[in-house]
Amino acid sequence: FGPIRGSHLPAYFDGIKFHTSRGRTFLTVAADRRLALLDFEHQTVADATVEGVPADAYTALGTLEGQQVLAILRPYELRLCNAASGKDRIAPIHTSPTARAVDFARLGQRDIVLTAHSATIRAWNPFTGRMLTQLPLGTNLDAMAVRNSPDGTAQVAIGGPGLLLTQLHEPEVG
């Protein structure tokens, strides 16, 4: 591997994060209030650049309806942007000011977006922007990691004072 070159890359970065989507590795690169998506394996700049993203935003890359989507969480706002165009898929979602982490999960056949806030995990419908549920945990959260399983469940690790591991599954209807 060598340096990734591209006309949109700044000299200095505010944040870099690895993501895996569709079996490939990508990077989100934050700099100058822009978020760029890079194809790590092909060492190229992907098409997406999202404007107005502060350096302290939390990011995740997922797939919805076959398209790659960037989730961008910051105090008071969750944005879901098409990774190819950088355009918002739905209107920004109003959230609490205590943003801590964001990730995608797939429960059975349902795609959701999870956000971690000071003491709550929230599940969002990424197609409508409506909150599906929230899990109040009663402790300060500092970090969250999500792993989807082939059995249709998602494992969620939540860090704060201590570490909490939980498994989410699609609710049964009937």
Side-chain angles (χ1 to χ4, degrees), residues 1 19 26 29 35 125 135:
F1 288 106
H19 305 273
F26 294 88
V29 176
L35 184 73
N125 181 325
L135 307 168

Side-chain angles (χ1 to χ4, degrees), residues 107 110 168-174:
L107 304 179
R110 177 182 252 185
L168 302 178
H169 57 86
E170 187 173 31
E172 293 182 20
V173 178

Side-chain angles (χ1 to χ4, degrees), residues 2 6 18 21 49 58 60 91 95 117 119 125 135 138 141 146 165 167 169 174:
F18 278 103
S21 178
T49 300
Y58 300 94
T95 66
H117 301 273
N125 181 325
L135 307 168
L141 305 177
V146 177
L165 303 173
Q167 184 168 339
H169 57 86

Side-chain angles (χ1 to χ4, degrees), residues 19 27 32 37-38 46 56 70 91 98 101 107 113 137 150 159 168 171:
H19 305 273
L27 292 171
D32 302 327
L37 181 65
L38 308 178
D56 62 350
L70 286 165
T98 58
L107 304 179
V113 175
L137 299 172
L168 302 178

Side-chain angles (χ1 to χ4, degrees), residues 63-106:
T63 303
L64 300 174
E65 297 179 325
Q67 296 182 346
Q68 289 185 306
V69 176
L70 286 165
I72 304 163
L73 178 67
R74 54 184 287 227
Y76 298 106
E77 183 179 75
L78 170 62
R79 291 176 61 191
L80 300 174
C81 302
N82 183 301
S85 68
K87 304 289 184 206
D88 288 335
R89 287 181 50 101
I90 59 174
I93 301 166
H94 180 73
T95 66
S96 76
T98 58
R100 298 283 192 272
V102 62
D103 212 338
F104 290 86
R106 185 158 180 88

